[in-house]
Amino acid sequence: MAGVKLINISKSFKNKQVLTSFSTLIKDGDFVMITGPSGSGKSTLLNIIGGIETPDSGEVILGGKNIRGLKGKERTELYRKYVGFIFQGFYLDNKLTLAENISLPGIFSNMPQKALNERTKTIAKILGISDSLNKHPSEAAGGQSERACIARALFLSPRIILADEPTSNLDPESAEKVLKILQVFQEKTDTTVVVASHDEMIRPFATKIINLGDTTYEAY
Ligand code: ADP
Ligand code: MG
């Protein structure tokens, strides 16, 4: 049993309580929409799942492992293998080619050069960006950079893809394409997709909806 289990997660910033004893179970292969108004904690929740933020209390269980019990390298390795992040705004490094951007997760995990090249080619082909690999993000045609960001997130075949506001800067047509790509992955490879967004366009793709609603309050 893998998936993600969050048990009684609380998180506050300064005097603002963002999450209060929040619990949920995300199954392998779910397409999760985390929704709620701006400031309700969508990004915070996504970042807690991805290990970028640490909860003040509560348990995060990823792939059956309680994160609390993992230290240093073991923890880094689990996140690197288990989770792929699509950052807000589809950020790529403009000094690097698309191929170099895509392969960064492999470089960080010391993948041998040959395997790195092969994986770059394979994932580029799957996402339809083979012809743009030697271009820099600024030279790539519309939509290619978004695809490259997805390719980078998928590079190490993670079990979960996390995406923060993936449709926010896209026209509806491109947004639909990005969501369809994620859905195809979710359905074909049983990869779990977790999207933080209040964009109603995402709702029909979701198999599970987490509504953070307006549950935050100022702590005294
Ligand atoms: P959402 O993604 O739903 O808009 P966030 O998770 O980004 O909400 O933020 C929830 C609340 O926590 C907001 O009030 C925000 O200002 C606050 N917050 C988020 N991250 C930080 C941080 N690193 N430092 C201080 N406050 C933060
Ligand atoms: Mg946010």
Side-chain angles (χ1 to χ4, degrees):
M1 171 57 205
V4 184
K5 231 189 241 178
L6 301 177
I7 307 165
N8 292 329
I9 298 288
S10 293
K11 177 76 179 175
S12 56
F13 294 106
K14 294 182 191 137
N15 66 337
K16 177 148 185 151
Q17 184 88 25
V18 180
L19 298 168
T20 308
S21 288
F22 177 83
S23 301
T24 196
L25 173 66
I26 296 170
K27 297 193 299 292
D28 273 342
D30 268 343
F31 191 122
V32 183
M33 175 188 191
I34 302 175
T35 187
S38 180
S40 60
K42 300 184 295 295
S43 298
T44 303
L45 187 59
L46 201 72
N47 291 340
I48 286 173
I49 296 171
I52 291 175
E53 299 270 13
T54 315
D56 300 331
S57 59
E59 310 300 324
V60 178
I61 295 157
L62 272 193
K65 281 198 179 135
N66 191 324
I67 294 309
R68 196 179 293 284
L70 304 178
K71 299 238 156 41
K73 200 169 171 227
E74 208 184 355
R75 190 185 144 98
T76 314
E77 282 296 303
L78 176 77
Y79 278 113
R80 192 177 281 153
K81 288 205 185 109
Y82 209 80
V83 176
F85 248 105
I86 299 174
F87 294 102
Q88 201 162 0
F90 292 96
Y91 175 78
L92 292 172
D93 190 331
N94 240 318
K95 294 189 294 297
L96 305 178
T97 63
L98 289 196
E100 288 163 342
N101 269 290
I102 290 170
S103 62
L104 283 176
I107 292 170
F108 289 136
S109 57
N110 298 317
M111 195 184 265
Q113 192 63 45
K114 191 161 174 260
L116 199 73
N117 293 344
E118 276 168 14
R119 180 64 182 154
T120 304
K121 274 189 201 149
T122 306
I123 197 78
K125 196 169 175 193
I126 292 170
L127 288 163
I129 49 174
S130 301
D131 296 340
S132 306
L133 279 178
N134 294 323
K135 290 185 178 156
H136 286 79
S138 56
E139 306 157 341
Q144 305 279 289
S145 292
E146 287 80 18
R147 285 164 187 263
C149 282
I150 299 174
R152 180 176 58 191
L154 291 167
F155 197 83
L156 297 176
S157 307
R159 298 301 307 130
I160 310 174
I161 302 278
L162 303 176
D164 201 352
E165 307 280 359
T167 60
S168 64
N169 296 320
L170 302 179
D171 59 80
E173 204 181 317
S174 310
E176 183 88 18
K177 274 187 194 151
V178 164
L179 292 169
K180 285 226 168 97
I181 291 172
L182 292 176
Q183 189 180 42
V184 166
F185 258 90
Q186 172 234 349
E187 288 175 353
K188 279 202 180 152
T189 64
D190 213 28
T191 306
T192 308
V193 175
V194 186
V195 172
S197 175
H198 56 252
D199 185 347
E200 285 302 316
M201 186 176 191
I202 293 162
R203 197 174 287 271
F205 289 85
T207 62
K208 177 183 174 77
I209 295 187
I210 294 173
N211 192 344
L212 295 179
D214 205 1
T215 56
T216 55
Y217 60 91
E218 300 294 326
Y220 295 102

